Amino acid sequence: MGVKKKSGKGRKRLLAGVDIGGTKLHVIVARADGTVLSRARSKLKGETAFVPVMKRVVACLEKACAGADVRLRDLGAVGVGAPSAVRADGVAVNAPNMGWRNVPVARKLASLTRRPVVVGNDCDVGTLGEYVFGAGRGSESLVGLFVGTGLGGGIVHHGQLISGENHLAAELGHMIVSVDGRECGGGHRGCLEAYASKSGMGRRFQREKARVKRSLLAREDVDLANVRSGVLSRAYRAGDELVREVVDEAARYLGVGVANVITCLGPDTIVLGGGVIEALGKEMLPTVRAAAKVHVFPPPSFRDTRIVLARLGDDAVALGAVAYALQVVKPGKR
Amino acid sequence: MGVKKKSGKGRKRLLAGVDIGGTKLHVIVARADGTVLSRARSKLKGETAFVPVMKRVVACLEKACAGADVRLRDLGAVGVGAPSAVRADGVAVNAPNMGWRNVPVARKLASLTRRPVVVGNDCDVGTLGEYVFGAGRGSESLVGLFVGTGLGGGIVHHGQLISGENHLAAELGHMIVSVDGRECGGGHRGCLEAYASKSGMGRRFQREKARVKRSLLAREDVDLANVRSGVLSRAYRAGDELVREVVDEAARYLGVGVANVITCLGPDTIVLGGGVIEALGKEMLPTVRAAAKVHVFPPPSFRDTRIVLARLGDDAVALGAVAYALQVVKPGKR
């Protein structure tokens, strides 16, 4: 390994994956087989305007490339996952966490990097990442459910993402499971996210302030509307009654969502991921599976779907963006 | 047109479509463009054992062929829609209305007819029929919801049926929309079918017997558990308060199902069909659309999905079976 940067055809197959989140960027450089060679991160600290974020992405890309000993211009392609509905041309239609509407992510990044850029919704590409490189390896069709502040989803059918003709679909967190039920953060009533997400759990904590005061949450510095996953998992493991009740309720509703996915789409694998699952997946999984078994139809269909935890952790979206870039750009064949 | 039956390559492209229902068979002979040349029907009168039904199908095929002036052996292929989950090899896994379990429909019919036979779930192929020949012509992706005694569904994505890796999926009537809600006929709780189907409406009538006695239903000879669509539509049009309330409730829940389909799959078209819709589609459609608008997420996604009534009527499943046979067997290319 010399100090001189490598270039030429042998290096063309390195790719970058970018995960644009509401609070941070996470960039990787990886081989086409999913091996991550380097990572770079950057906190956004509330600076989410479109052009500055794009410049931060490029700076992160440069840093990750340096870590992998490759020049940005020698990357085969750059894949991006963004917290937005994304059109096929790489325009982010609506990213409420970023304050973006109809911003040309692919075009802007391609012009800044001179590389082919492919952009998808973060949960969509995260699901593709698990399908290609993670817990879904070897499956034919896969649905991902990512539980964090909200609940996002992704659908991969025989290798292809299904995101709807409007590129707004696979909003699995917003399927109605309880007509006229609880409201979610987006003002939508009775949807899965209103129960099975940190914001959903948060609304229940806010309604039960008296119980919160007697719970282990009272000992921590928490924002009741959005209790951190780590705090939830500590309290859960310590046996806190309220936290157990609320987390178990979330797991039960997640199981209803899983049942609906099996009933309607019958994938061979369902992957559960996101911050809440990373912190509490092992504790929640038995309840999720039991609830799915109760609510799926017909019962025999259940046995054919594996319900598993995500494997790619923080890299899921960035690795999924790499997988998406490989699928769309086919940089190895250029 | 002579009396001599036509044969040879020019006739190879005629196909037969078979709709196997719990009470009757409906068979068509059609051109590859969906033009129906002849029809034959047969009532099963409770005789649903597998081999006798297969023989009745062959007799119906012979009759339909005679009507279209073609020999059975000159058909390009035979497509079948069955009220069952159907494996890729044409085995009907479980048809409760017929009392069938794991019966080899495709193999048996192929051996009786010496023709290539393709078999699918009735709602799946009915949806494909509307996609190829009916209300979904020109759409990229289509979801069908068929409201009859139960509520069946089908999903066509870019021309391909999605029926799950287990071939049991697109059971859209069994998505949970009201956890712990009303029970459907299959003992499943809170699913769409428990509200938006004749059996679902029937259970409400049975619970409201006092109101039924004061309603227009009291003047008709009805089975409250399964009121005929024609009776419902007469009472609805005559302004019967109870029937309007119950049908409107069903339409509202159907709209919730439509919303979930849009939120999760984002098809460009949703087709509503089945006996209830054929009788009351125009009356129900505004309520379905209004409810879908309330319950879909995010709201803008709604504008991109057309919600329309099925066009193929009684021929939907048989024509869909023809479309499915064309897709699988490609008889024109043999």
Side-chain angles (χ1 to χ4, degrees):
Chain A
M1 300 283 283
V3 285
K4 212 175 123 198
K5 304 239 167 165
K6 284 159 193 169
S7 65
K9 284 190 178 175
R11 283 306 232 181
K12 271 284 178 194
R13 287 180 185 167
L14 286 190
L15 299 108
V18 179
D19 176 4
I20 301 178
T23 58
K24 65 177 194 309
L25 306 176
H26 179 64
V27 174
I28 62 169
V29 169
R31 291 206 194 98
D33 66 1
T35 310
V36 178
L37 302 178
S38 66
R39 294 176 177 83
R41 281 167 169 272
S42 176
K43 293 206 170 177
L44 293 179
K45 294 172 185 163
E47 292 156 17
T48 60
F50 175 57
V51 174
V53 168
M54 291 298 102
K55 288 181 179 167
R56 294 280 287 276
V57 168
V58 175
C60 257
L61 279 166
E62 299 275 13
K63 205 168 132 195
C65 283
D69 194 25
V70 63
R71 291 180 298 203
L72 178 48
R73 70 177 190 219
D74 290 330
L75 291 176
V78 176
V80 180
S84 171
V86 179
R87 290 197 325 229
D89 62 358
V91 168
V93 177
N94 183 19
N97 292 340
M98 313 297 288
W100 295 355
R101 270 193 173 272
N102 298 314
V103 293
V105 179
R107 206 179 66 208
K108 185 71 187 170
L109 272 186
S111 96
L112 291 173
T113 63
R114 304 273 156 202
R115 296 287 73 215
V117 176
V118 174
V119 185
N121 168 268
D122 51 4
C123 290
D124 283 354
V125 301
T127 301
L128 188 65
E130 291 289 343
Y131 180 84
V132 176
F133 300 125
R137 278 179 89 148
S139 72
E140 291 290 327
S141 60
L142 173 77
V143 173
L145 292 163
F146 299 93
V147 186
T149 305
L151 195 160
I155 302 168
V156 179
H157 181 69
H158 296 184
Q160 300 300 310
L161 276 167
I162 295 184
S163 56
E165 300 312 314
N166 52 16
H167 306 287
L168 292 166
E171 278 283 6
L172 303 177
H174 289 287
M175 69 168 90
I176 307 288
V177 293
S178 181
V179 178
D180 306 325
R182 207 188 277 174
E183 215 175 90
C184 79
H188 193 221
R189 194 173 280 285
C191 60
L192 189 54
E193 181 174 295
Y195 300 89
S197 70
K198 279 203 293 175
S199 60
M201 290 188 269
R203 264 181 303 285
R204 185 154 167 209
F205 287 130
Q206 287 175 306
R207 279 202 317 277
E208 307 214 29
K209 282 190 179 145
R211 289 184 71 195
V212 168
K213 277 185 191 160
R214 298 191 304 271
S215 81
L216 293 177
L217 295 182
R219 298 189 198 167
E220 309 237 19
D221 175 31
V222 297
D223 170 11
L224 279 192
N226 199 359
V227 179
R228 294 188 306 283
S229 301
V231 172
L232 286 176
S233 86
R234 274 198 301 280
Y236 191 98
R237 282 174 197 150
D240 185 83
E241 193 191 329
L242 174 64
V243 169
R244 288 216 162 188
E245 199 179 303
V246 170
V247 169
D248 288 348
E249 181 187 65
R252 185 188 161 219
Y253 273 90
L254 186 56
V256 174
V258 164
N260 277 359
V261 166
I262 298 173
T263 299
C264 295
L265 292 169
D268 56 29
T269 309
I270 292 177
V271 169
L272 307 177
V276 171
I277 299 293
E278 275 168 45
L280 280 161
K282 277 183 188 146
E283 288 79 1
M284 292 171 76
L285 194 56
T287 304
V288 173
R289 285 183 171 146
K293 210 161 188 166
V294 168
H295 294 286
V296 77
F297 188 93
S301 68
F302 182 80
R303 64 180 175 210
D304 301 308
T305 302
R306 295 187 310 138
I307 305 168
V308 296
L309 302 178
R311 282 214 200 122
L312 302 180
D314 282 352
D315 286 335
V317 172
L319 267 173
V322 165
Y324 194 43
L326 277 166
Q327 199 171 74
V328 177
V329 178
K330 299 182 183 64
K333 294 183 183 172
R334 291 165 79 90
Chain B
M1 301 282 282
V3 284
K4 211 175 124 201
K5 304 239 166 163
K6 284 161 194 167
S7 66
K9 283 191 179 173
R11 282 305 233 183
K12 273 283 179 194
R13 285 182 187 169
L14 287 189
L15 299 110
V18 179
D19 176 4
I20 301 178
T23 59
K24 64 177 195 305
L25 305 177
H26 179 65
V27 174
I28 62 169
V29 169
R31 290 205 194 98
D33 66 0
T35 310
V36 178
L37 302 179
S38 67
R39 293 176 178 81
R41 280 167 169 271
S42 177
K43 291 204 171 177
L44 292 179
K45 294 173 184 162
E47 293 155 15
T48 59
F50 175 56
V51 173
V53 168
M54 290 298 102
K55 288 181 179 166
R56 294 280 287 276
V57 168
V58 176
C60 256
L61 280 166
E62 299 276 13
K63 204 168 132 194
C65 283
D69 194 25
V70 63
R71 290 180 298 204
L72 177 49
R73 69 177 188 220
D74 290 329
L75 291 175
V78 176
V80 179
S84 172
V86 179
R87 289 197 327 229
D89 62 358
V91 168
V93 176
N94 182 18
N97 293 338
M98 312 297 289
W100 295 355
R101 268 194 175 272
N102 298 314
V103 293
V105 179
R107 207 179 64 207
K108 185 72 186 169
L109 272 185
S111 96
L112 291 173
T113 63
R114 304 270 155 202
R115 296 287 74 217
V117 176
V118 175
V119 186
N121 169 268
D122 51 4
C123 290
D124 283 354
V125 300
T127 302
L128 188 65
E130 291 289 344
Y131 179 85
V132 175
F133 300 126
R137 278 179 89 148
S139 72
E140 291 290 327
S141 61
L142 173 77
V143 173
L145 293 163
F146 298 93
V147 187
T149 304
L151 195 161
I155 302 168
V156 179
H157 181 71
H158 297 183
Q160 300 300 309
L161 276 167
I162 295 184
S163 56
E165 299 313 313
N166 52 16
H167 306 287
L168 292 165
E171 278 283 5
L172 303 177
H174 288 288
M175 70 167 90
I176 308 289
V177 293
S178 180
V179 178
D180 306 324
R182 208 188 277 176
E183 216 175 88
C184 80
H188 193 221
R189 193 173 281 285
C191 61
L192 190 54
E193 181 175 295
Y195 301 88
S197 70
K198 281 203 292 174
S199 61
M201 291 188 269
R203 264 181 302 284
R204 186 157 165 206
F205 288 130
Q206 288 176 305
R207 278 203 319 275
E208 306 215 30
K209 280 189 180 146
R211 289 184 72 195
V212 168
K213 278 185 191 159
R214 297 192 304 271
S215 82
L216 293 177
L217 295 182
R219 297 189 199 168
E220 309 235 19
D221 175 31
V222 297
D223 169 12
L224 280 192
N226 198 359
V227 179
R228 293 187 306 282
S229 301
V231 172
L232 286 176
S233 87
R234 276 199 299 280
Y236 191 98
R237 281 173 195 149
D240 184 84
E241 193 190 327
L242 174 65
V243 169
R244 288 215 163 188
E245 201 177 303
V246 170
V247 169
D248 289 347
E249 181 187 64
R252 184 188 163 223
Y253 273 91
L254 186 56
V256 174
V258 164
N260 277 0
V261 165
I262 298 173
T263 299
C264 295
L265 292 169
D268 56 29
T269 308
I270 291 176
V271 170
L272 307 178
V276 171
I277 298 295
E278 275 168 45
L280 280 160
K282 278 184 186 146
E283 288 79 1
M284 291 171 76
L285 194 55
T287 304
V288 173
R289 284 182 172 146
K293 210 161 187 164
V294 168
H295 294 285
V296 77
F297 186 91
S301 69
F302 181 81
R303 65 179 176 213
D304 300 309
T305 301
R306 296 187 310 139
I307 304 168
V308 297
L309 302 179
R311 282 213 201 125
L312 302 180
D314 282 350
D315 287 335
V317 173
L319 267 173
V322 165
Y324 194 43
L326 279 165
Q327 200 171 72
V328 177
V329 178
K330 299 183 181 64
K333 294 183 183 171
R334 289 168 78 91

